[in-house]
Every structure is written in C-alpha cells, then in structure tokens.
C-alpha cells in the first residue's frame, strides 16, 4: 500500500517536471522561464524524493534521501536567485502582457 | 545585525555549551546516517569530526561564532519545514494551473519585511524563491524585489501579504 503510494508520488513528481519542461519551451520570456524552472526543481524533485522514501521504507537509504531533501531545499533557491539576479543586473526587462 | 557577535573571546556560559552540545548531537546523527551505523564508536567519531569542523569554520571561514550567528531552534526548524512544504504544494498547484492554461502575468514587485536579522531575511528570501510562482531577485536592507508569475497588485503591502504568506510570522517568533 505504502509502496504503491510511493510510486504514485514518483509518477506525480515526474508529471510536474514534464509540465515544467514543456512550459520552458512554450514561454519565451526569460523571467517566466526562470520562475517555472524553480517550480520544476522544488515541487517535482521534492515529490519524487518523498515517493522514493516511501518506496524504500524505514532504513538508512530513506534517511539519506531526507538529508538530500534538506540540502536541496537550502541550495536550489541560490542557483535560481543567482541566474535571475544576474539577468536583472544586466538590464533584462520584464515582458508584460500586451508587449510585443 | 547581531549585536552579540564580535571577534573577542566569548565567556563560556551554560547557554553556549548547551547550544554547542545540540549542534554536536546533530552532527553525530548526520555522520551516523552517512556511515549507515549508529554504533557508539561511529557517533563519537561523528561528534569529534563535527566539532573540529565547527571550530575550523568559526576560526577561518566565518570568523565569528557559528552557533550565535545562526540562532534557529531545532523544533522551530521542523515546524518551519512542514509549513514550507505545505506552502510549496499549495502554490505548486496554482502555478501548474497557470502554466497549463498559459495565464501568466509576470512582473517585478517590491515588498518590505519587518525582519531585521540578515540571516532571517535570507531565510525569508530563500522561502519565497522555493515557493512556486515567485523568485527573489534582490534584497536591499528590508526591501525585497520579487518576480511574481501571477502579479495581481503592485502595492508593496498587499503584494507582501500574498507573497510572504505566514513565513514572516513564523520567523519572527523567537
């Protein structure tokens, strides 16, 4: 039962990631892409990791994944922030709806 | 800034020893997880390596007291973690709907925070970036520039209320 729920979560996480990849190709604006990529990282990856923890059960592997999850939550925003900040500092403008 | 942090030798207080002990226990447990054994020898080795790393970080990298700089209780961290996960998934579904339907209104908004500790402001900025739909662009004192995928208002107070959710309240509680 728990293993099944784990596999369902992994599938759900992969669905999130696939939507993210699709939308990175769909949207042309840089900032939209940056925001969407961060979503793929957090929601998709986190869900896959939680699913893997459920599938694995109570053992050291699960604890290691939990540590990876914490490190991921602490470090992922840094890369997103670095990319977005450098674009902003370089003068990239936000393309508002209605702009050509 | 933390007023208690300076480069002078600090008096050894019970409070400091307790906080150091807590961090050491955490290091020992993490070492145990990595070495896949909670045998006493492994835990002691983990505590020693953790303490050496902590003192080396204090002396050569951070150049101040780590334990005093990053004051964040263990239980507070756990509560914050679960709250963060709930917010990430709530915002995740909303962002997913917007991406599929293509209803994006991306804009940069400026919000203000009541926090004054740089570490807590970094945590808030980190949480905002983790929440799907918002990415922190820059911080300047108590001002945060945020890219917002669903910009409904440019008013700093109103936008701040929506973007910060309950992160700020949780961070302000000591």
């Amino acid at each position: 039962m728990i293993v099944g729920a784990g596999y369902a979560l992994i599938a759900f996480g992969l669905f999130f990631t696939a939507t993210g990849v699709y939308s990175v190709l769909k949207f042309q604006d840089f900032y939209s892409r940056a925001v969407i990529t961060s979503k793929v990282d957090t929601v998709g990856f986190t869900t896959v990791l939680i699913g893997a923890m459920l599938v694995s059960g109570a053992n050291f592997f699960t604890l290691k994944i939990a540590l990876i999850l914490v490190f991921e939550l602490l470090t992922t925003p840094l890369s997103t922030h670095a990319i977005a900040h450098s674009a902003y500092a370089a003068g990239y403008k936000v393309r508002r709806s209605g702009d050509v | 800034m933390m007023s208690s942090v300076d480069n002078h030798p600090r008096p050894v207080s019970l409070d400091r020893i307790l906080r150091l002990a807590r961090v050491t226990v955490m290091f020992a447990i993490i070492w145990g997880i990595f070495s896949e054994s909670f045998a006493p020898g492994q835990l002691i080795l983990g505590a020693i390596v953790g303490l050496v790393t902590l003192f080396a970080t204090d002396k050569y990298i951070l150049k101040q007291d780590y334990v005093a700089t990053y004051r964040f209780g263990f239980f507070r961290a756990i509560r914050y973690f679960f709250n963060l996960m709930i917010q990430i998934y709530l915002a995740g579904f909303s962002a997913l709907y917007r991406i599929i339907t293509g209803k994006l209104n991306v804009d940069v908004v400026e919000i203000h925070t009541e926090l004054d500790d740089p570490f807590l402001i970094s945590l808030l900025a980190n949480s905002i970036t983790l929440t799907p739909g918002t990415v922190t662009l820059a911080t300047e004192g108590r001002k945060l520039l945020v890219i917002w995928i669903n910009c409904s208002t440019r008013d700093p107070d109103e936008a701040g209320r929506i973007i910060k959710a309950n992160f700020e309240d949780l961070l302000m509680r000591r």
Side-chain angles (χ1 to χ4, degrees):
Chain A
M1 176 67 190
I2 294 176
V3 174
Y7 281 121
L9 274 181
I10 292 177
F12 183 63
L14 289 177
F15 168 70
F16 251 104
T17 314
T19 330
V21 173
Y22 159 75
S23 50
V24 166
L25 297 172
K26 180 181 169 189
F27 296 107
Q28 299 301 317
D29 177 33
F30 172 80
Y31 288 113
S32 313
R33 285 176 161 182
V35 175
I36 290 163
T37 321
S38 81
K39 180 197 79 79
V40 171
D41 272 353
T42 45
V43 183
F45 191 61
T46 307
T47 315
V48 170
L49 285 188
I50 293 174
M53 282 161 77
L54 289 182
V55 170
S56 163
N59 54 31
F60 278 108
F61 182 71
T62 301
L63 290 173
K64 281 185 185 174
I65 298 180
L67 280 183
I68 293 175
L69 181 64
V70 172
F71 283 130
E72 188 251 344
L73 288 179
L74 285 173
T75 53
T76 306
L78 293 179
S79 56
T80 313
H81 168 74
I83 295 169
H85 183 73
S86 56
Y88 186 73
Y92 265 62
K93 293 275 181 289
V94 175
R95 195 184 293 175
R96 297 194 171 87
S97 50
D99 291 1
V100 181
Chain B
M1 283 297 288
M2 284 263 162
S3 55
S4 61
V5 174
D6 53 45
N7 290 323
H8 300 293
R10 288 160 300 276
V12 179
S13 66
L14 185 66
D15 183 47
R16 186 172 140 73
I17 292 173
L18 274 179
R19 275 190 277 131
L20 206 59
R22 226 160 36 198
V23 175
T24 312
V25 169
M26 200 178 74
F27 282 148
I29 292 174
I30 292 176
W31 181 274
I33 293 173
F34 280 136
S35 53
E36 300 201 351
S37 157
F38 284 134
Q42 285 293 346
L43 291 182
I44 293 169
L45 183 63
I48 293 171
V49 173
L51 272 178
V52 169
T53 316
L54 189 65
F55 285 119
T57 311
D58 279 359
K59 197 166 164 51
Y60 299 109
I61 300 176
L62 204 60
K63 300 211 164 57
Q64 58 192 20
D65 187 12
Y66 174 87
V67 180
T69 311
Y70 298 108
R71 282 168 183 266
F72 208 75
F74 179 70
F75 292 107
R76 194 162 155 230
I78 299 268
R79 204 171 53 204
Y80 191 76
F81 175 78
F82 281 107
N83 177 60
L84 184 65
M85 293 306 287
I86 292 170
Q87 294 294 338
I88 283 175
Y89 279 100
L90 283 180
F93 283 111
S94 153
L96 185 70
Y97 168 74
R98 297 201 168 275
I99 287 165
I100 292 174
T101 54
K103 284 182 188 162
L104 294 189
N105 181 22
V106 182
D107 211 337
V108 176
V109 288
E110 187 186 305
I111 62 172
H112 300 276
T113 173
E114 302 288 315
L115 301 167
D116 50 5
D117 181 357
F119 170 59
L120 293 183
I121 294 178
S122 311
L123 263 187
L124 177 67
N126 199 330
S127 309
I128 289 175
T129 307
L130 271 174
T131 316
T134 46
V135 167
T136 315
L137 261 188
T139 56
E140 198 185 312
R142 292 183 171 188
K143 206 169 74 179
L144 277 85
L145 272 182
V146 179
I147 316 175
W148 193 6
I149 208 171
N150 172 33
C151 183
S152 55
T153 170
R154 288 177 64 81
D155 175 49
D157 295 331
E158 181 68 14
R161 200 178 53 76
I162 301 172
I163 292 173
K164 285 185 289 188
N166 57 352
F167 293 133
E168 198 175 50
D169 292 341
L170 276 177
L171 288 175
M172 278 178 114
R173 278 185 220 159
R174 277 282 174 190

